[in-house]
Amino acid sequence: MTQNIDLNEIDKFAKLAAQWWDPNGQCKPLHIINPLRVDYIKQQSGDLNGKNVLDVGCGGGILSESLAKLAANVTAIDLAEESLMVAKLHAEQNGLLINYQKQTVEQHAEHYLAQYDVITCMEMLEHVPDPFSIINACAKLLKPNGQLYLSTINRNNKAKLMLIYGAEYIARLVPKGTHDFDRFIRPSELMDWVEHAHLAVKDIIGMEYHLLSNQFRLGRNIDVNYILMAEKNASD
Ligand code: SAH
């Protein structure tokens, strides 16, 4: 099989590398939602102290660093060399130990079967040709009872309006072409893939944007941005 990689996407993020840690730059939306996803992971998985955590498609390490600050043993993978360099340097400057690797999750799964307590794959599935292959590799990497967090964007007119017209064209929060609407993923599709990978869907939560307060909050509305949490069976 050809690799499950869209080189245009990797290139797009590599070009962004210098901006990963600029809270007002093109990664601003990720900085805004990061505390929400960290809260959600803490709510669902409890204390991460000493847990083995894998962050798939880590970019500059915005989430990886937050997980390392919770005293987890974090391994983080991506394919954009430039982003990984930024991530390594930033972690070092902040005294955080994170094992950054340039690798696909499918490659990682060939060596680290059932090694991880928690795996996160945030805002990445909508950039790969075959999201199921990513989820399947994550399932192999999880320990029994391990938890997988997947976040992505729903595929409907509201998401198109908010993310493509709103964030790219009107607010210019992120560069034009950041998102490809056809790759957005409906929760029902994501749930099907998760179940085909023999994981149990445990919870799903929205990251809702509130226009009036200009803030994101965790909530039950999964129309646009959402996170799904799944668990591996105790016996697998
Ligand atoms: N997860 C991070 C970054 C999201 S941006 C966060 O939420 O803060 C999406 C990232 O996925 C980019 O860094 C891009 O390089 C990476 N990516 C895209 N396709 C990938 C693949 N097949 N394997 C690993 N990383 C990939």
Side-chain angles (χ1 to χ4, degrees):
M1 182 190 130
T2 52
Q3 292 240 68
N4 180 23
I5 302 169
D6 183 333
L7 287 176
N8 289 329
E9 292 289 317
I10 303 301
D11 194 42
K12 214 156 70 182
F13 285 103
K15 291 205 173 96
L16 247 162
Q19 303 229 1
W20 278 111
W21 287 96
D22 177 355
N24 294 308
Q26 294 174 347
C27 297
K28 184 174 180 176
L30 293 175
H31 286 282
I32 296 174
I33 61 172
N34 196 50
L36 301 185
R37 46 196 200 183
V38 175
D39 279 353
Y40 181 63
I41 295 169
K42 284 200 290 198
Q43 254 175 45
Q44 298 289 324
S45 294
D47 189 1
L48 290 188
N49 191 345
K51 297 271 173 77
N52 288 342
V53 176
L54 176 68
D55 188 21
V56 178
C58 60
I62 296 172
L63 178 64
S64 325
E65 286 203 8
S66 298
L67 298 169
K69 284 182 185 156
L70 297 173
N73 298 320
V74 181
T75 298
I77 58 177
D78 203 288
L79 295 175
E81 187 111 41
E82 293 83 346
S83 298
L84 287 167
M85 277 165 54
V86 169
K88 282 181 194 166
L89 194 68
H90 196 271
E92 216 176 277
Q93 286 167 344
N94 286 278
L96 294 167
L97 256 185
I98 297 172
N99 175 22
Y100 283 110
Q101 300 288 338
K102 184 178 171 192
Q103 222 174 28
T104 65
V105 66
E106 290 93 339
Q107 289 163 342
H108 199 73
E110 287 169 18
H111 302 282
Y112 299 99
L113 277 186
Q115 296 286 309
Y116 291 97
D117 299 288
V118 169
I119 301 181
T120 54
C121 179
M122 302 288 200
E123 311 308 320
M124 185 263 203
L125 290 177
E126 68 275 16
H127 300 287
V128 298
D130 180 1
F132 173 69
S133 164
I134 305 284
I135 296 168
N136 208 27
C138 290
K140 292 183 192 160
L141 286 157
L142 280 177
K143 291 181 185 175
N145 287 324
Q147 288 153 342
L148 173 64
Y149 292 86
L150 303 167
S151 75
T152 189
I153 306 167
N154 203 339
R155 193 173 69 257
N156 55 41
N157 284 333
K158 182 172 168 189
K160 187 181 207 171
L161 196 76
M162 292 196 51
L163 280 151
I164 302 190
Y165 299 118
E168 293 187 16
Y169 283 79
I170 301 172
R172 308 240 169 118
L173 261 179
V174 295
K176 286 179 191 161
T178 297
H179 300 108
D180 174 354
F181 177 70
D182 294 333
R183 282 204 173 148
F184 290 3
I185 301 169
R186 294 197 178 115
S188 57
E189 295 161 341
L190 192 59
M191 286 187 216
D192 273 357
W193 288 328
V194 163
E195 279 159 14
H196 274 102
H198 305 291
L199 299 173
V201 175
K202 289 286 169 182
D203 194 52
I204 185 159
I205 195 151
M207 288 186 284
E208 304 167 357
Y209 176 66
H210 295 264
L211 192 66
L212 286 180
S213 56
N214 191 25
Q215 277 181 346
F216 278 87
R217 273 179 238 147
L218 290 175
R220 283 292 139 203
N221 186 330
I222 57 170
D223 285 354
V224 185
N225 294 90
Y226 65 97
I227 311 176
L228 181 150
M229 199 278 271
E231 218 167 78
K232 188 161 169 170
N233 280 333
S235 55
D236 279 353

